[in-house]
Amino acid sequence: MAAPAQLGLQNAASPIMEELIAFHDHALMIIFLISSLVLYIISLMLTTKLTHTSTMNAQEIEMIWTILPAMILIMIALPSLRILYMTDEFNKPYLTLKAIGHQWYWSYEYSDYEDLAFDSYIMPTYFLEPGEFRLLEVDNRTTLPMEADIRVLISSQDVLHSWAVPSLGVKTDAIPGRLNQAMVASMRPGLYYGQCSEICGSNHSFMPIVLEFIYFQDFEVWASYLYI
Amino acid sequence: MASEVLAKPQMRGLLARRLRIHMVGAFLVSLGVAALYKFAVAEPRKKAYADFYKNYSPEKDFEEMKKAGIFRSIK
């Protein structure tokens, strides 16, 4: 989750998110390059009394300011497409999880296991234990095995929602009548927080997501415990 | 008495000269800003991730978290 007053992206817990952070740094570097150039030129234009009012033959500069932006765009597009194709890679998933959006909670189904399904509502503030996070905790966390590729099938039972977990680099729309697939993998154990990311009504801000990544053996114990 | 004749000042091409100098300056400044971001932010961040994972032990991390009691799924 984000630290108070955090401006940047959250620390990556998956390889895809690490790639996205590096790409964000690359794109932001280009943004700073262009913005500083434009700001310099604007201040240049505002600090002179010299003028030139007759039309000019501007063939050379027109070539420069067409080709240079095209090259910059290619420099942005190539790494972007590389990551896009990386996110679409279908590695044989270990587990499939269905995340279904409702107004205003998420429900999860582990169809690989018989009858393993539960709803995940926000934990109201007055029920929070010390150290827990306001508006981010849920009553039933989504437990998953770490260091495993997990296929998440996302849909909705009513209106549009979006299942997002920033530190894993996932944000996928939950559309009624449609199944969207996302791949999730965490390199580290721990808790990863997210929030609904598509406006869905009055309690849109109050349907968070908490993923609890643990070792596979402990996950199997947890899954079998839930059958009882 | 012959009076001193001042040299004729530069009267043309002043804007073009200013633009020539400052275009180079503008590109240098913007490339400098980009290089500053790359070497002060982007590269240290990549190194920080590499250093973190060099000696990272998921087992040790997991045991510490388990001992701290943050997991609800593990009794």
Side-chain angles (χ1 to χ4, degrees):
Chain A
M1 55 155 279
Q6 178 169 337
L7 292 176
L9 297 166
Q10 292 181 29
N11 287 336
S14 76
I16 294 278
M17 191 57 198
E18 276 190 45
E19 294 282 347
L20 283 168
I21 288 173
F23 173 71
H24 176 265
D25 278 336
H26 172 72
L28 195 57
M29 176 190 74
I30 292 174
I31 287 169
F32 281 141
L33 185 131
I34 296 168
S35 304
S36 55
L37 180 68
V38 170
L39 263 170
Y40 190 115
I41 291 170
I42 288 172
S43 65
L44 206 64
M45 289 196 289
L46 293 174
T47 52
T48 181
K49 289 199 170 85
L50 299 166
T51 57
H52 185 118
T53 51
S54 56
T55 26
M56 294 174 269
N57 182 357
Q59 198 58 37
E60 299 84 4
I61 195 157
E62 294 266 355
M63 287 277 278
I64 293 170
W65 69 35
T66 305
I67 289 170
L68 213 55
M71 284 167 55
I72 290 174
L73 286 174
I74 290 170
M75 273 173 59
I76 297 172
L78 290 178
S80 174
L81 287 170
R82 180 180 148 266
I83 297 175
L84 181 69
Y85 278 84
M86 219 186 271
T87 58
D88 259 353
E89 265 172 17
F90 186 76
N91 307 314
K92 202 158 155 231
Y94 215 37
L95 180 73
T96 299
L97 170 73
K98 285 207 275 276
I100 298 161
H102 306 256
Q103 282 177 312
W104 286 279
Y105 63 98
W106 294 94
S107 66
Y108 298 101
E109 294 170 24
Y110 295 69
S111 309
D112 296 325
Y113 299 83
E114 243 178 81
D115 285 338
L116 180 45
F118 53 86
D119 296 338
S120 182
Y121 279 83
I122 186 173
M123 184 75 90
T125 307
Y126 42 85
F127 283 135
L128 290 175
E129 300 287 324
E132 288 186 338
F133 303 114
R134 191 181 74 92
L135 304 185
L136 283 175
E137 299 289 350
V138 296
D139 54 0
N140 301 314
R141 291 177 181 164
T142 308
T143 307
L144 292 167
M146 56 179 265
E147 291 175 335
D149 287 321
I150 296 157
R151 179 209 271 126
V152 188
L153 296 172
I154 297 151
S155 185
S156 167
Q157 195 252 334
D158 39 46
V159 299
L160 293 180
H161 300 272
S162 186
W163 198 76
V165 183
S167 46
L168 298 173
V170 180
K171 185 180 287 176
T172 306
D173 280 359
I175 298 164
R178 182 184 170 89
L179 266 186
N180 276 335
Q181 177 179 284
M183 294 299 285
V184 150
S186 173
M187 298 184 291
R188 300 184 270 126
L191 300 177
Y192 301 103
Y193 292 85
Q195 292 174 290
C196 179
S197 298
E198 184 66 43
I199 187 79
C200 54
S202 55
N203 283 359
H204 155 68
S205 314
F206 309 110
M207 46 183 295
I209 298 144
V210 183
L211 304 183
E212 190 171 297
F213 280 92
I214 56 179
Y215 271 103
F216 184 68
Q217 298 88 328
D218 297 298
F219 169 76
E220 288 273 298
V221 168
W222 170 83
S224 60
Y225 177 72
L226 277 190
Y227 288 148
I228 302 164
Chain B
M1 271 192 294
S3 56
E4 297 270 338
V5 176
L6 288 170
K8 186 175 178 182
Q10 177 71 22
M11 293 172 83
R12 294 179 189 278
L14 293 165
L15 183 61
R17 184 170 145 264
R18 178 185 156 90
L19 288 179
R20 247 195 318 275
I21 295 168
H22 282 95
M23 266 316 115
V24 174
F27 273 97
L28 285 176
V29 163
S30 57
L31 286 169
V33 164
L36 183 70
Y37 185 84
K38 185 175 172 72
F39 294 109
V41 176
E43 293 301 315
R45 204 200 302 275
K46 280 189 206 157
K47 186 170 178 297
Y49 272 92
D51 289 344
F52 176 81
Y53 282 108
K54 211 186 306 184
N55 296 317
Y56 177 69
S57 162
E59 297 88 359
K60 188 161 158 263
D61 210 12
F62 179 72
E63 289 307 320
E64 278 173 13
M65 289 183 194
K66 197 166 152 188
K67 212 164 87 176
I70 67 158
F71 294 126
R72 285 196 201 148
S73 53
I74 301 175
K75 302 287 171 227

